[in-house]
Amino acid sequence: MNKKQTFIGLALIVALTMFGLFQNAKDPKLALFLITGLAIGYVMQRSRFGFAGGVKKIYVTGDGTLTKALMFLFTISLLTTAAIHYGAFMEGAKIPAMSSVKPTNLGTVIGGVLFGIGMMFGGGCASGTLTDAGEGEIRALIVLFFFITGSLIGVYHMPWWEKSVFFKVGGKVYLPDVFGYLGAIIVSLLGFLLIYVITKKYEDKRKRENTYTKEEYSDWEKPLPETANYKFFSKETYHKFFVQRWSFYTGAVCLTIMFVAIILTTGKSWGVTSTFADWGAWLYQSVGIVDVSDWPWFASRMKKINGGFLNDPSSMRNIGIILGATISLLLAGKFSFKKNFKFRDILFYAIGGLTMGYGARVGLGCNAGALYSAICNFSLSGWVFLPAMTVGGIIGVNLVRKFNVTI
């Protein structure tokens, strides 16, 4: 283990603590969003949990462990949010996170397919791109730049999409309005069970065909051999707490905790990509390329844009995700900048970022907002986005293979 990196990681924690206190003095929400972002980034890196992998891993290797863990994540998250929603409903209070109940229309399908294709070219979804950037992946930084650009282009085109037939046909569907709360829970759980069964049968099929490859952890992520004279203050303990890889199921439980914490503290659910459009506005306005002040999508967001990057809670959360992943690898002594790609791959990373950014605007979110948050807050749109994103992901995997893109 690289002890120098461990001290750098500890120093970064101290620096972020001071920065958090500074932000808290301005607005407690800034510190709160930073903390939740740091936690999400740390959890996603330690467990290697990701939404894109739920499609890619099983399709490429036949190993559905992550896909099944995602169904576990959705199950425990949905049961928890069901209690929150129902509690508010019974008290006659405003139901939290209803902004995650999004319209279901052809835009949901188109956006989902585009996003699925893009995340395979980019090597991860929105939260995955942030986590990879925190791990030192130069590829992810390239993807992120074009993701931001694609988001801004998508926002620019939104007036056209909103007037088109792709958005006109359909509407918001909150499942408890159709099935009641108990019915919505049962229907959702049956959906998760169906996906779990399909995943298990597909795994079995790949095993019979000898095309199944079980994911293996790197040696440094595996548990250390047990010692006869174990001491708590030892390298074994440090390895257990800060180096050894968490299971996908541990990651699912921790992400659920953060998911619920976000809802309870903000009244909204977790999303990532709307903030990318804001980043695009700040970036391209600063160099005089665009002026978003008269863009309809930004009409209600100009106070945020004029307030600046450091005064935006959502930006703090996304930056927190990046730094949380960085801290995780520094404490493990395994951080490094990685550039294991060819120059030609940059074009495909750009396509991936642009496609994800644009698709996320058309589909009204990414795998965090349009899928995870939507489904777990009983929005029908999440169940439509899921198969669309999966189809796009499969198309994307095959295109990545065809063009031999390094991911």
Side-chain angles (χ1 to χ4, degrees):
M1 187 180 71
N2 189 326
K3 292 183 178 180
K4 182 179 179 181
Q5 288 197 7
T6 303
F7 289 118
I8 294 173
L10 292 172
L12 180 56
I13 291 173
V14 172
L16 285 170
T17 300
M18 296 174 64
F19 178 66
L21 291 172
F22 171 75
Q23 292 290 76
N24 185 69
K26 292 194 296 183
D27 182 354
K29 288 180 65 175
L30 294 171
L32 173 65
F33 279 55
L34 177 64
I35 292 168
T36 53
L38 288 168
I40 290 170
Y42 185 88
V43 169
M44 292 187 71
Q45 198 292 313
R46 277 297 297 277
S47 62
R48 301 300 172 91
F49 205 97
F51 298 99
V55 176
K56 182 179 179 180
K57 287 181 186 293
I58 187 171
Y59 186 73
V60 173
T61 69
D63 185 351
T65 306
L66 178 54
T67 308
K68 291 182 286 188
L70 279 165
M71 293 307 100
F72 176 69
L73 169 71
F74 285 10
T75 297
I76 58 178
S77 296
L78 179 131
L79 291 174
T80 308
T81 53
I84 296 171
H85 283 217
Y86 185 69
F89 171 75
M90 290 299 292
E91 292 179 359
K94 181 180 179 181
I95 298 174
M98 287 298 286
S99 58
S100 290
V101 180
K102 302 176 183 295
T104 305
N105 49 42
L106 289 174
T108 310
V109 177
I110 295 169
V113 171
L114 289 174
F115 191 86
I117 294 171
M119 72 183 184
M120 295 308 164
F121 276 110
C125 60
S127 56
T129 298
L130 294 174
T131 303
D132 288 348
E135 293 179 0
E137 292 279 1
I138 304 302
R139 163 189 54 78
L141 294 174
I142 297 169
V143 173
L144 181 58
F145 171 78
F146 286 100
F147 203 142
I148 291 168
T149 304
S151 297
L152 193 63
I153 295 172
V155 161
Y156 181 75
H157 289 158
M158 279 307 290
W160 180 88
W161 282 100
E162 290 171 347
K163 293 175 183 177
S164 73
V165 67
F166 302 110
F167 272 49
K168 289 292 186 181
V169 179
K172 294 182 180 180
V173 177
Y174 180 55
L175 294 183
D177 289 341
V178 179
F179 301 106
Y181 280 96
L182 180 59
I185 293 171
I186 293 173
V187 168
S188 299
L189 294 182
L190 287 174
F192 302 150
L193 178 61
L194 177 61
I195 295 171
Y196 183 93
V197 170
I198 292 172
T199 300
K200 187 67 173 65
K201 286 186 176 296
Y202 184 72
E203 274 187 317
D204 294 340
K205 175 178 178 291
R206 293 287 292 266
K207 288 176 181 177
R208 290 194 302 271
E209 297 171 347
N210 291 319
T211 58
Y212 175 90
T213 305
K214 180 70 175 176
E215 182 184 16
E216 293 289 339
Y217 296 174
S218 300
D219 287 340
W220 66 269
E221 296 177 300
K222 297 177 181 178
L224 294 178
E226 293 186 10
T227 57
N229 299 313
Y230 172 75
K231 295 180 180 179
F232 182 77
F233 294 101
S234 62
K235 68 176 183 181
E236 288 80 13
T237 300
Y238 187 90
H239 183 88
K240 177 73 174 179
F241 279 93
F242 297 105
V243 181
Q244 182 178 321
R245 180 169 167 176
W246 290 349
S247 72
F248 290 139
Y249 290 92
T250 300
V253 171
C254 292
L255 278 179
T256 296
I257 292 171
M258 299 317 304
F259 181 77
V260 173
I262 289 170
I263 293 176
L264 292 177
T265 56
T266 68
K268 297 181 179 180
S269 201
W270 181 31
V272 177
T273 55
S274 292
T275 303
F276 286 174
D278 296 334
W279 288 6
W282 282 314
L283 173 63
Y284 287 104
Q285 280 200 152
S286 67
V287 294
I289 294 178
V290 300
D291 178 4
V292 303
S293 61
D294 59 348
W295 292 20
W297 194 84
F298 284 105
S300 62
R301 304 171 77 91
M302 285 311 299
K303 183 178 180 180
K304 175 190 287 193
I305 298 300
N306 294 331
F309 175 83
L310 290 178
N311 295 316
D312 174 32
S314 297
S315 293
M316 290 300 98
R317 181 183 292 149
N318 283 357
I319 290 299
I321 293 174
I322 295 173
L323 295 177
T326 302
I327 289 170
S328 177
L329 277 184
L330 285 173
L331 293 180
K334 293 293 180 179
F335 180 85
S336 64
F337 288 104
K338 308 167 190 71
K339 183 189 171 299
N340 54 339
F341 57 86
K342 308 179 189 71
F343 183 77
R344 65 179 288 276
D345 291 325
I346 294 175
L347 171 64
F348 296 105
Y349 300 155
I351 293 171
L354 289 168
T355 306
M356 275 196 289
Y358 198 89
R361 289 305 88 226
V362 176
L364 303 181
C366 61
N367 286 347
L371 177 64
Y372 179 34
S373 288
I375 286 179
C376 294
N377 286 290
F378 297 108
S379 177
L380 177 63
S381 63
W383 288 103
V384 174
F385 188 90
L386 174 58
M389 178 273 297
T390 302
V391 169
I394 293 171
I395 294 171
V397 168
N398 285 297
L399 288 174
V400 166
R401 285 173 169 172
K402 180 178 180 180
F403 295 108
N404 194 27
V405 183
T406 303
I407 299 297

